[in-house]
Amino acid sequence: MITVQKAAINTALIAALVGGGAYLAMGYPLIASSTSAGSQSSTGSANGAHQANGITEQQLTGSTATRVRNAVLAANPGATVHRMETDAEGAVYEAHITKADGSRATVKLDGSFNITATEAGRGTK
């Protein structure tokens, strides 16, 4: 009976380790991108928005998100949009992207969804 209990405990332990490893692997891109933000003074939150200059950025949704995404992708064909949010550093909106060539950037937009700047290397924060 003891060997059956040991086998059950070992099976449960292995399942927990595999499940925990998978959970951590799913979170790794978020952890890696948050540590590559550079020396910018900000604090992160669960949705990826951060605070800068006393302003907390808000994740974009609905038609605003659609318009920002369309403008960013029109100017950056083949890019992947990781996150779109309000901007705490001067622009109205910003989108964190990986361009088709693999480089990361933050695209800044005004209130009319016109691109005002593209900051290379800023990544996904």
Coordinates of all heavy atoms in Angstrom, one line a residue, residues 33-90:
S33 N 9.2 41.2 -21.6 CA 9.0 42.5 -22.2 C 9.0 43.6 -21.1 O 9.4 44.7 -21.3 CB 7.7 42.5 -23.0 OG 6.6 42.3 -22.1
S34 N 8.5 43.3 -19.9 CA 8.4 44.3 -18.8 C 9.8 44.6 -18.3 O 10.1 45.7 -17.8 CB 7.5 43.9 -17.7 OG 8.1 42.8 -17.0
T35 N 10.8 43.7 -18.4 CA 12.1 43.9 -17.9 C 12.9 44.6 -19.0 O 14.0 45.1 -18.7 CB 12.8 42.6 -17.5 OG1 12.8 41.8 -18.6 CG2 12.1 42.0 -16.3
S36 N 12.5 44.7 -20.2 CA 13.2 45.4 -21.3 C 12.8 46.8 -21.5 O 13.1 47.4 -22.5 CB 13.1 44.6 -22.6 OG 11.8 44.6 -23.0
A37 N 12.1 47.4 -20.5 CA 11.5 48.7 -20.7 C 12.6 49.8 -20.6 O 12.3 50.9 -21.0 CB 10.4 49.0 -19.7
G38 N 13.7 49.4 -20.2 CA 14.8 50.4 -20.1 C 14.7 51.2 -18.8 O 14.2 50.7 -17.8
S39 N 15.2 52.4 -18.7 CA 15.3 53.1 -17.5 C 14.1 54.0 -17.3 O 14.2 54.9 -16.4 CB 16.6 53.9 -17.5 OG 16.6 54.8 -18.5
Q40 N 13.1 53.9 -18.0 CA 11.9 54.7 -17.9 C 11.3 54.6 -16.5 O 11.1 53.5 -16.1 CB 10.9 54.4 -19.0 CG 9.7 55.2 -19.0 CD 8.8 54.8 -20.2 OE1 9.1 54.0 -21.0 NE2 7.7 55.4 -20.2
S41 N 10.9 55.7 -15.9 CA 10.3 55.6 -14.6 C 8.8 55.3 -14.8 O 8.1 56.2 -15.2 CB 10.5 56.9 -13.9 OG 9.8 57.0 -12.7
S42 N 8.4 54.1 -14.4 CA 7.0 53.7 -14.5 C 6.8 52.5 -13.6 O 7.6 51.8 -13.2 CB 6.7 53.4 -16.0 OG 7.4 52.2 -16.4
T43 N 5.5 52.4 -13.4 CA 5.0 51.2 -12.6 C 4.1 50.5 -13.5 O 3.2 51.0 -14.0 CB 4.4 51.6 -11.3 OG1 3.3 52.5 -11.5 CG2 5.4 52.3 -10.4
G44 N 4.2 49.1 -13.5 CA 3.3 48.3 -14.4 C 2.0 48.0 -13.7 O 1.9 48.1 -12.5
S45 N 1.0 47.5 -14.5 CA -0.2 47.0 -13.9 C -0.6 45.7 -14.7 O 0.1 45.4 -15.6 CB -1.3 48.0 -14.0 OG -1.7 48.2 -15.4
A46 N -1.6 45.1 -14.3 CA -2.0 43.8 -14.8 C -2.3 43.9 -16.3 O -2.0 43.0 -17.1 CB -3.2 43.2 -14.1
N47 N -2.8 45.0 -16.8 CA -3.2 45.1 -18.2 C -2.1 45.7 -19.1 O -2.3 45.9 -20.2 CB -4.5 45.9 -18.4 CG -4.3 47.4 -18.1 OD1 -3.2 47.8 -17.7 ND2 -5.4 48.1 -18.1
G48 N -0.9 45.9 -18.5 CA 0.2 46.4 -19.2 C 0.4 47.9 -19.2 O 1.4 48.4 -19.5
A49 N -0.7 48.6 -18.8 CA -0.5 50.1 -18.8 C 0.4 50.4 -17.6 O 0.6 49.7 -16.7 CB -1.9 50.7 -18.5
H50 N 1.0 51.6 -17.7 CA 1.9 52.0 -16.7 C 1.6 53.5 -16.4 O 0.8 54.1 -17.0 CB 3.3 51.8 -17.1 CG 3.8 52.8 -18.2 ND1 3.5 52.7 -19.5 CD2 4.6 53.9 -18.0 CE1 4.0 53.7 -20.1 NE2 4.7 54.5 -19.3
Q51 N 2.3 54.0 -15.4 CA 2.1 55.3 -15.0 C 3.4 56.1 -15.3 O 4.5 55.6 -15.0 CB 1.8 55.4 -13.5 CG 1.5 56.8 -13.0 CD 1.0 56.9 -11.6 OE1 1.5 56.1 -10.8 NE2 0.1 57.8 -11.3
A52 N 3.2 57.3 -15.8 CA 4.4 58.2 -16.1 C 3.9 59.6 -16.0 O 2.7 59.9 -16.4 CB 5.0 57.9 -17.5
N53 N 4.7 60.5 -15.5 CA 4.3 61.9 -15.4 C 3.0 62.1 -14.6 O 2.2 63.0 -14.9 CB 4.2 62.5 -16.8 CG 5.4 62.4 -17.6 OD1 6.5 62.5 -17.1 ND2 5.3 62.1 -18.9
G54 N 2.7 61.2 -13.7 CA 1.5 61.3 -12.9 C 0.2 60.9 -13.6 O -0.8 61.1 -13.1
I55 N 0.4 60.3 -14.7 CA -0.8 59.8 -15.5 C -0.7 58.3 -15.7 O 0.3 57.8 -16.0 CB -0.8 60.5 -16.9 CG1 -0.8 62.0 -16.8 CG2 -2.0 60.0 -17.8 CD1 -0.6 62.8 -18.1
T56 N -1.8 57.7 -15.5 CA -1.9 56.2 -15.7 C -2.5 56.0 -17.1 O -3.6 56.4 -17.4 CB -2.7 55.5 -14.6 OG1 -2.2 55.8 -13.3 CG2 -2.8 54.0 -14.8
E57 N -1.8 55.3 -17.9 CA -2.2 54.9 -19.2 C -3.4 53.9 -19.1 O -3.4 53.1 -18.3 CB -1.1 54.4 -20.1 CG 0.0 55.5 -20.3 CD 1.1 55.0 -21.1 OE1 1.3 53.7 -21.2 OE2 1.8 55.8 -21.7
Q58 N -4.3 54.0 -20.1 CA -5.5 53.1 -20.1 C -5.5 52.3 -21.4 O -5.2 52.9 -22.5 CB -6.8 53.9 -20.0 CG -6.9 54.8 -18.7 CD -6.9 53.9 -17.5 OE1 -7.6 52.9 -17.4 NE2 -6.2 54.3 -16.5
Q59 N -5.7 51.0 -21.3 CA -5.8 50.2 -22.5 C -6.9 50.6 -23.3 O -8.0 51.0 -22.9 CB -6.0 48.7 -22.0 CG -5.9 47.7 -23.1 CD -5.9 46.3 -22.5 OE1 -6.2 46.1 -21.4 NE2 -5.7 45.4 -23.4
L60 N -6.7 50.6 -24.7 CA -7.7 51.0 -25.6 C -8.7 49.8 -25.9 O -8.2 48.7 -26.0 CB -7.1 51.5 -26.9 CG -6.2 52.8 -26.7 CD1 -5.6 53.2 -28.1 CD2 -6.9 53.9 -26.1
T61 N -9.9 50.1 -26.2 CA -10.9 49.1 -26.5 C -11.8 49.7 -27.6 O -11.8 50.9 -27.9 CB -11.8 48.7 -25.3 OG1 -12.4 49.9 -24.8 CG2 -10.9 48.1 -24.2
G62 N -12.6 48.8 -28.1 CA -13.7 49.2 -29.1 C -13.2 49.9 -30.3 O -12.2 49.5 -30.9
S63 N -14.0 50.9 -30.8 CA -13.7 51.5 -32.0 C -12.4 52.3 -32.0 O -11.7 52.5 -33.0 CB -14.8 52.4 -32.5 OG -15.1 53.5 -31.5
T64 N -12.1 52.9 -30.8 CA -10.8 53.6 -30.7 C -9.6 52.6 -30.9 O -8.7 53.0 -31.7 CB -10.7 54.2 -29.3 OG1 -11.8 55.1 -29.1 CG2 -9.4 55.0 -29.1
A65 N -9.7 51.5 -30.3 CA -8.6 50.5 -30.5 C -8.5 50.1 -32.0 O -7.4 50.0 -32.6 CB -8.8 49.3 -29.7
T66 N -9.7 49.9 -32.6 CA -9.7 49.5 -34.0 C -9.1 50.6 -34.9 O -8.3 50.3 -35.8 CB -11.2 49.3 -34.5 OG1 -11.7 48.2 -33.7 CG2 -11.2 48.9 -36.0
R67 N -9.4 51.8 -34.6 CA -8.8 52.9 -35.4 C -7.3 53.1 -35.3 O -6.6 53.3 -36.2 CB -9.6 54.2 -35.1 CG -11.0 54.2 -35.6 CD -11.8 55.5 -35.4 NE -11.3 56.5 -36.3 CZ -11.7 57.7 -36.3 NH1 -12.6 58.1 -35.4 NH2 -11.2 58.6 -37.2
V68 N -6.9 52.9 -34.0 CA -5.4 53.0 -33.8 C -4.7 51.8 -34.5 O -3.7 52.0 -35.2 CB -5.1 53.0 -32.2 CG1 -3.7 52.7 -32.0 CG2 -5.6 54.3 -31.6
R69 N -5.3 50.6 -34.3 CA -4.7 49.5 -35.0 C -4.6 49.6 -36.5 O -3.6 49.4 -37.1 CB -5.5 48.2 -34.6 CG -4.9 46.9 -35.3 CD -5.7 45.7 -34.9 NE -5.9 45.5 -33.5 CZ -5.0 44.9 -32.7 NH1 -3.9 44.4 -33.2 NH2 -5.2 44.7 -31.4
N70 N -5.7 50.1 -37.1 CA -5.7 50.3 -38.5 C -4.7 51.3 -39.0 O -4.0 51.1 -40.0 CB -7.1 50.7 -39.0 CG -8.1 49.6 -38.9 OD1 -7.7 48.4 -38.8 ND2 -9.4 49.9 -38.9
A71 N -4.5 52.4 -38.3 CA -3.6 53.4 -38.6 C -2.1 52.9 -38.5 O -1.3 53.1 -39.4 CB -3.8 54.7 -37.8
V72 N -1.9 52.2 -37.4 CA -0.5 51.7 -37.2 C -0.1 50.6 -38.2 O 1.0 50.7 -38.8 CB -0.4 51.1 -35.7 CG1 0.8 50.3 -35.5 CG2 -0.5 52.2 -34.7
L73 N -1.1 49.7 -38.5 CA -0.8 48.7 -39.5 C -0.7 49.2 -40.9 O 0.1 48.7 -41.7 CB -1.8 47.6 -39.4 CG -1.8 46.8 -38.1 CD1 -2.9 45.7 -38.1 CD2 -0.4 46.1 -37.9
A74 N -1.4 50.3 -41.2 CA -1.3 50.9 -42.6 C 0.1 51.5 -42.7 O 0.7 51.4 -43.8 CB -2.4 52.0 -42.7
A75 N 0.7 52.1 -41.7 CA 2.0 52.7 -41.8 C 3.1 51.6 -41.6 O 4.3 51.9 -41.9 CB 2.1 53.8 -40.7
N76 N 2.8 50.5 -41.0 CA 3.8 49.4 -40.7 C 3.3 48.1 -41.2 O 2.9 47.2 -40.4 CB 4.1 49.4 -39.2 CG 4.6 50.7 -38.7 OD1 5.8 50.9 -38.8 ND2 3.8 51.5 -38.1
P77 N 3.2 47.9 -42.5 CA 2.7 46.6 -43.0 C 3.5 45.4 -42.4 O 4.7 45.4 -42.3 CB 2.9 46.7 -44.5 CG 3.1 48.2 -44.8 CD 3.7 48.7 -43.6
G78 N 2.7 44.4 -42.1 CA 3.3 43.2 -41.5 C 3.7 43.2 -40.1 O 4.2 42.3 -39.5
A79 N 3.4 44.3 -39.4 CA 3.7 44.5 -38.0 C 2.7 43.7 -37.1 O 1.6 43.4 -37.6 CB 3.7 46.0 -37.6
T80 N 3.2 43.4 -35.9 CA 2.3 42.8 -34.9 C 2.1 43.9 -33.8 O 3.0 44.4 -33.3 CB 3.0 41.6 -34.3 OG1 3.2 40.6 -35.3 CG2 2.1 41.0 -33.2
V81 N 0.8 44.1 -33.5 CA 0.5 45.1 -32.5 C 0.3 44.3 -31.2 O -0.5 43.4 -31.1 CB -0.8 45.9 -32.8 CG1 -1.2 46.8 -31.7 CG2 -0.7 46.6 -34.1
H82 N 1.1 44.7 -30.2 CA 1.0 44.0 -28.9 C 0.1 44.6 -27.9 O -0.6 43.9 -27.2 CB 2.4 43.9 -28.2 CG 3.4 43.2 -29.0 ND1 3.5 41.9 -29.2 CD2 4.4 43.7 -29.8 CE1 4.5 41.5 -29.9 NE2 5.1 42.6 -30.4
R83 N 0.1 45.9 -27.9 CA -0.8 46.6 -26.9 C -1.0 48.1 -27.4 O -0.2 48.7 -28.1 CB -0.1 46.7 -25.6 CG -0.9 47.2 -24.5 CD -0.3 47.1 -23.1 NE 0.8 48.1 -22.9 CZ 2.1 47.8 -22.9 NH1 2.5 46.6 -23.0 NH2 3.0 48.8 -22.7
M84 N -2.2 48.5 -27.2 CA -2.6 49.9 -27.5 C -3.2 50.6 -26.3 O -4.0 50.0 -25.6 CB -3.6 49.9 -28.6 CG -3.1 49.3 -29.9 SD -4.5 49.0 -31.1 CE -5.4 47.8 -30.3
E85 N -2.8 51.8 -26.0 CA -3.2 52.5 -24.8 C -3.1 54.0 -25.0 O -2.6 54.5 -26.0 CB -2.3 52.1 -23.7 CG -0.9 52.4 -23.9 CD 0.0 51.5 -23.0 OE1 -0.4 50.6 -22.3 OE2 1.2 51.8 -23.0
T86 N -3.7 54.7 -24.0 CA -3.5 56.2 -24.0 C -2.0 56.4 -23.7 O -1.4 55.5 -23.2 CB -4.4 56.8 -22.9 OG1 -4.1 56.2 -21.7 CG2 -5.9 56.7 -23.3
D87 N -1.6 57.6 -23.9 CA -0.2 57.9 -23.7 C 0.0 58.9 -22.6 O -0.6 59.9 -22.6 CB 0.5 58.4 -25.0 CG 2.0 58.6 -24.9 OD1 2.6 57.8 -24.3 OD2 2.5 59.6 -25.4
A88 N 0.9 58.6 -21.7 CA 1.2 59.5 -20.6 C 2.4 60.4 -20.9 O 2.8 61.2 -20.0 CB 1.5 58.6 -19.3
E89 N 2.9 60.4 -22.1 CA 4.1 61.1 -22.4 C 4.0 62.1 -23.5 O 4.9 62.4 -24.2 CB 5.3 60.1 -22.7 CG 5.5 59.2 -21.5 CD 6.4 58.0 -21.9 OE1 6.4 57.6 -23.1 OE2 7.0 57.4 -21.0
G90 N 2.7 62.6 -23.7 CA 2.6 63.7 -24.7 C 1.6 63.4 -25.9 O 0.9 64.3 -26.3

